[in-house]
Amino acid sequence: MKGHKRPNILVVEDEPLIQEFLKTGLFYEGYDATTVTKGGQALELLFHQLFDLIILDLILPDLDGFEVCRRIREKGLTIPILMLTVKKDVADRIAGLDAGADDYLVKPFVFDELLARLRALLRRSGRYGDPVVLKMAGITLNPDSREVLFEGKALQLTPTEFNLLKIFMQHSRRVFTRETLLNRVWGYHYFGNANIVDVHVSHLREKLKDKPPRLIRTHYGLGYSFHPEEIE
Ligand code: CA
């Protein structure tokens, strides 16, 4: 699998056997999986942790999958959602896609089928798989060549600034805490001061002429989010 980190999957599934099957299977296939049984827990977790994709069962003990999907999209999160359902009727599939799911899989499913869907969704979202050139807000970022164009000209970024910008572009509108950015950009074993994030964000803003900041928004006491829609 391409990409330096294992994709982090949030599994929302209340049936213990399927939950275990998914968690174990995903681990051996090179993914990390966090499992929860309730829709409410999933929504809560999404605010505190960074995931690359959600596998969401339709029938849950509290909110159903449609509702969870709707709330995720209402928050502006673009994370890919793969819905699991036992119902085979077309109306349900359409309802799932309408609620903001990216794809669905009918239970019982073959694990290879699930993996194929995951790969396709992650590739489409530009998070994993074949590198996808990201273009927004006048910025073109090539994750493979590590080249960045801004307003048609090459932009010189340090490796840290590049990694920060990439994560922002891959997860626009998501609020990142400084700790999450530290983990994701500097690595889990970095024990430095979170203020280092502020310093690099400030350099990035300067290079992107983001003054006063519109593109990279500060959430005081919390962290940052990236808003290409403010520019386009
Ligand atoms: Ca269920």
Side-chain angles (χ1 to χ4, degrees):
M1 175 163 314
K2 281 200 168 184
H4 305 294
K5 290 181 61 68
R6 294 163 69 94
N8 198 12
I9 314 286
L10 177 61
V11 177
V12 193
E13 167 63 82
D14 56 318
E15 288 152 71
L17 277 177
I18 299 179
Q19 203 186 77
E20 193 50 41
F21 163 73
L22 287 173
K23 196 178 168 95
T24 312
L26 288 171
F27 182 80
Y28 283 108
E29 291 296 331
Y31 298 88
D32 280 332
T34 300
T35 53
V36 294
T37 52
K38 290 182 179 174
Q41 293 171 319
L43 291 168
E44 181 71 18
L45 258 187
L46 279 168
F47 287 102
H48 300 294
Q49 282 185 45
L50 187 58
F51 295 96
D52 297 296
L53 185 144
I54 305 171
I55 297 175
L56 178 62
D57 190 31
L58 178 59
I59 313 295
L60 296 166
D62 56 343
L63 309 166
D64 70 22
F66 296 144
E67 186 57 30
V68 175
C69 234
R70 237 175 261 121
R71 294 196 193 181
I72 290 169
R73 295 305 183 222
E74 271 169 20
K75 299 283 180 200
L77 301 183
T78 54
I79 184 167
I81 300 174
L82 174 65
M83 196 95 111
L84 300 181
T85 170
V86 283
K87 297 182 184 174
K88 285 184 182 156
D89 84 57
V90 177
D92 264 341
R93 298 181 192 186
I94 292 169
L97 298 176
D98 276 351
D102 296 280
D103 201 357
Y104 61 85
L105 199 56
V106 178
K107 288 196 239 175
F109 53 84
V110 179
F111 196 67
D112 276 352
E113 172 73 16
L114 175 91
L115 289 175
R117 303 291 182 95
L118 288 188
R119 279 194 296 268
L121 287 175
L122 289 170
R123 198 162 46 232
R124 249 158 60 193
S125 71
R127 288 174 168 141
Y128 288 92
D130 303 328
V132 170
V133 173
L134 300 161
K135 285 184 190 177
M136 56 192 82
I139 306 164
T140 304
L141 182 145
N142 185 326
D144 201 25
S145 66
R146 298 182 69 88
E147 286 167 327
V148 180
L149 294 178
F150 177 55
E151 294 174 342
K153 291 179 196 157
L155 187 67
Q156 300 303 321
L157 297 179
T158 65
T160 300
E161 289 161 2
F162 178 89
N163 291 338
L164 260 181
L165 181 60
K166 187 174 78 167
I167 198 172
F168 279 143
M169 290 177 81
Q170 286 172 332
H171 304 268
S172 60
R173 292 191 288 179
R174 173 160 192 334
V175 179
F176 288 102
T177 64
R178 285 134 129 197
E179 288 70 26
T180 303
L181 289 171
L182 269 181
N183 286 341
R184 203 68 184 218
V185 175
W186 281 262
Y188 284 92
H189 305 294
Y190 186 85
F191 294 108
N193 192 321
N195 290 339
I196 193 170
V197 176
D198 303 336
V199 173
H200 288 275
V201 165
S202 149
H203 290 162
L204 195 54
R205 276 178 175 150
E206 254 168 58
K207 292 184 179 179
L208 295 171
K209 301 178 190 162
D210 190 31
K211 280 187 172 183
R214 289 163 67 215
L215 187 60
I216 304 174
R217 200 175 288 172
T218 302
H219 300 262
Y220 287 99
L222 193 62
Y224 299 95
S225 58
F226 185 76
H227 295 266
E229 77 280 5
E230 291 286 326
I231 307 297
E232 278 153 348

